[in-house]
Amino acid sequence: MSAEYATFGLAPAMRAGGVLADGAHQVHRTFTDFIIDGRPLLFRLSDLDAVSPLAADVPPAIFRNHVRALLLEVQAPLADGRHVIYGCPECESLGCGAVTAVIERDGEDVVWRDFAWQTQERTDLELNGYHGIGPFRFRGREYRAALEQLLVGDPGGDSATGRRVLLIGARAAVLAKLAAALRQIGIGADIAHDAAGVQAEELRAYGAVAFGRAVGTGERAAVREAFDRAGADAVYVDGLAPIIPLLVAQIESALDRSPVEQRRLTCLVATGEEARIEVTSVCRVRLLAHRLDRLHRPHVREIFDGTLEAGTHRIPLDAKAVKGRSFLVARTMGGVLAAPVVRRTDPNARASR
């Protein structure tokens, strides 16, 4: 076994949910990811759609037990000393498949080894092992210090904190549909005309505030002032158009608190001819075009669905798919970005990051 040490850390991460083009939905999950040698371990697993057991919506008692298992203070949950490192984001069932590994002490050190894809109580390392990953040897003090911080205060946090959105706008029907879509994927949503009279504690529970296009400058400023007085760390979202999947994507992007340098999808900008996308590791990217026709009816069209290498990519756009008022939504398993399609003659073209 290698005697070289790897660094161990933790960082917030997100599994993007969303309302999909076929009407289905996937659940939004926020979790704590494992950072090994400065890079999320999940990125080494290609395009895996999974979350760690350290999810924000896990009940506190279960969250503590997961942390203590990683600290080797309680028995490993699986046979042969194996622990779930990443599991299904929808149901967390082993039957859906999970990335597992043996975690053991070696003197003062902690070692993660024998990574495998597991669907039953035991796994065949020859058949299902991740042969290019690990083993990782961590200094015990560094490893324990990182994990023990999760046990300070309220483990896992309040599942609602940072995952609630305040919707402010004039179009009640759109707000109601948006709130329903957000709740369906696991994001709390409330509708209001303003933030006047709302207690500071309640304002601090919101991770984002989404403004409809009809909300005036003065009204927006008053809301921001109320949140500032409450010491609330909310992100403000200006709705691009009354298209529910597009608004959901904007809000999910705003709720992503993972460090920018540890995200897979880092940039999306579009003109009428092409979309420019930047990714930091090999991943599957799905690109959808949303638009409103002259009667303000929404239309959606898939532009691209494929695996991209790390770097900057330019994807041609079909003029028919992005005519009129059009917007793009790019998704990976770990994030989502939304951006308007801006014609080259428009000096206000900006990238979504």
Side-chain angles (χ1 to χ4, degrees):
M1 184 179 295
S2 172
E4 294 183 2
Y5 285 100
T7 61
F8 181 85
L10 302 168
M14 180 185 81
R15 185 266 191 163
V19 180
L20 306 183
D22 60 2
H25 69 278
Q26 59 185 30
V27 176
H28 173 96
R29 302 292 301 279
T30 54
F31 62 99
T32 298
D33 200 4
F34 308 109
I35 309 300
I36 296 179
D37 287 336
R39 186 166 180 252
L41 176 59
L42 189 58
F43 287 12
R44 300 173 189 252
L45 301 170
S46 188
D47 200 41
L48 183 67
D49 183 16
V51 300
S52 83
L54 307 177
D57 51 357
V58 171
I62 296 177
F63 186 96
R64 288 189 185 93
N65 195 62
H66 284 318
V67 175
R68 287 176 175 149
L70 294 172
L71 287 166
L72 302 177
E73 295 177 357
V74 298
Q75 185 176 356
L78 301 174
D80 305 320
R82 303 192 71 81
H83 297 250
V84 173
I85 306 300
Y86 296 108
C88 174
E90 298 287 341
C91 68
E92 301 181 67
S93 168
L94 186 62
C96 290
V99 176
T100 68
V102 174
I103 301 180
E104 62 185 7
R105 290 190 183 90
D106 185 8
E108 291 296 316
D109 301 338
V110 176
V111 176
W112 287 19
R113 62 174 175 83
D114 296 341
F115 286 82
W117 179 253
Q118 189 164 346
T119 57
Q120 300 177 352
E121 182 63 19
R122 283 183 163 82
T123 188
D124 184 334
L125 288 178
E126 281 298 318
L127 184 63
N128 297 314
Y130 287 99
H131 302 292
I133 298 180
F136 299 113
R137 176 180 292 273
F138 308 115
R139 290 181 172 83
R141 181 177 297 179
E142 175 188 70
Y143 178 85
R144 289 189 295 273
L147 287 168
E148 286 171 354
Q149 284 297 312
L150 298 177
L151 298 176
V152 177
D154 182 14
D158 180 352
S159 64
T161 301
R163 295 176 58 244
R164 296 193 66 81
V165 181
L166 184 62
L167 308 177
I168 298 178
R171 301 180 64 174
V174 172
L175 295 178
K177 290 179 181 179
L178 176 56
L182 290 169
R183 292 165 187 156
Q184 190 176 33
I185 66 172
I187 298 175
D190 299 312
I191 300 172
H193 293 293
D194 53 44
V198 181
Q199 294 184 356
E201 184 177 356
E202 292 183 44
L203 294 180
R204 288 194 292 269
Y206 293 106
V209 179
F211 294 112
R213 294 173 63 87
V215 179
T217 302
E219 297 168 290
R220 294 171 189 242
V223 170
R224 288 172 179 264
E225 184 179 349
F227 273 80
D228 288 343
R229 286 198 306 268
D233 184 24
V235 178
Y236 300 96
V237 178
D238 294 323
L240 289 172
I243 302 172
I244 300 304
L246 174 66
L247 294 173
V248 169
Q250 279 192 268
I251 290 169
E252 282 212 280
S253 180
L255 290 175
D256 188 353
R257 298 302 179 91
S258 59
V260 174
E261 64 274 13
Q262 291 170 6
R263 299 182 188 181
R264 272 183 168 153
L265 182 60
T266 56
C267 180
L268 170 66
V269 63
T271 66
E273 293 77 33
E274 65 178 20
R276 179 166 60 86
I277 297 175
E278 294 179 8
V279 295
T280 60
S281 66
V282 177
C283 61
R284 177 187 177 191
V285 175
R286 287 165 289 175
L287 185 64
L288 297 179
H290 295 270
R291 69 179 181 86
L292 293 172
D293 63 20
R294 292 180 180 180
L295 299 178
H296 295 280
R297 295 173 300 192
H299 299 267
V300 61
R301 183 169 174 178
E302 184 177 276
I303 300 296
F304 177 82
D305 186 349
T307 300
L308 298 178
E309 300 289 330
T312 300
H313 302 268
R314 298 180 183 278
I315 299 173
L317 298 179
D318 185 338
K320 293 181 180 179
V322 294
K323 65 182 179 180
R325 289 183 59 203
S326 300
F327 311 88
L328 295 187
V329 172
R331 289 185 175 277
T332 66
M333 290 304 176
V336 58
L337 287 177
V341 176
V342 184
R343 311 302 164 182
R344 290 189 183 276
T345 55
D346 189 332
N348 297 317
R350 293 188 304 170
S352 178
R353 295 179 182 269

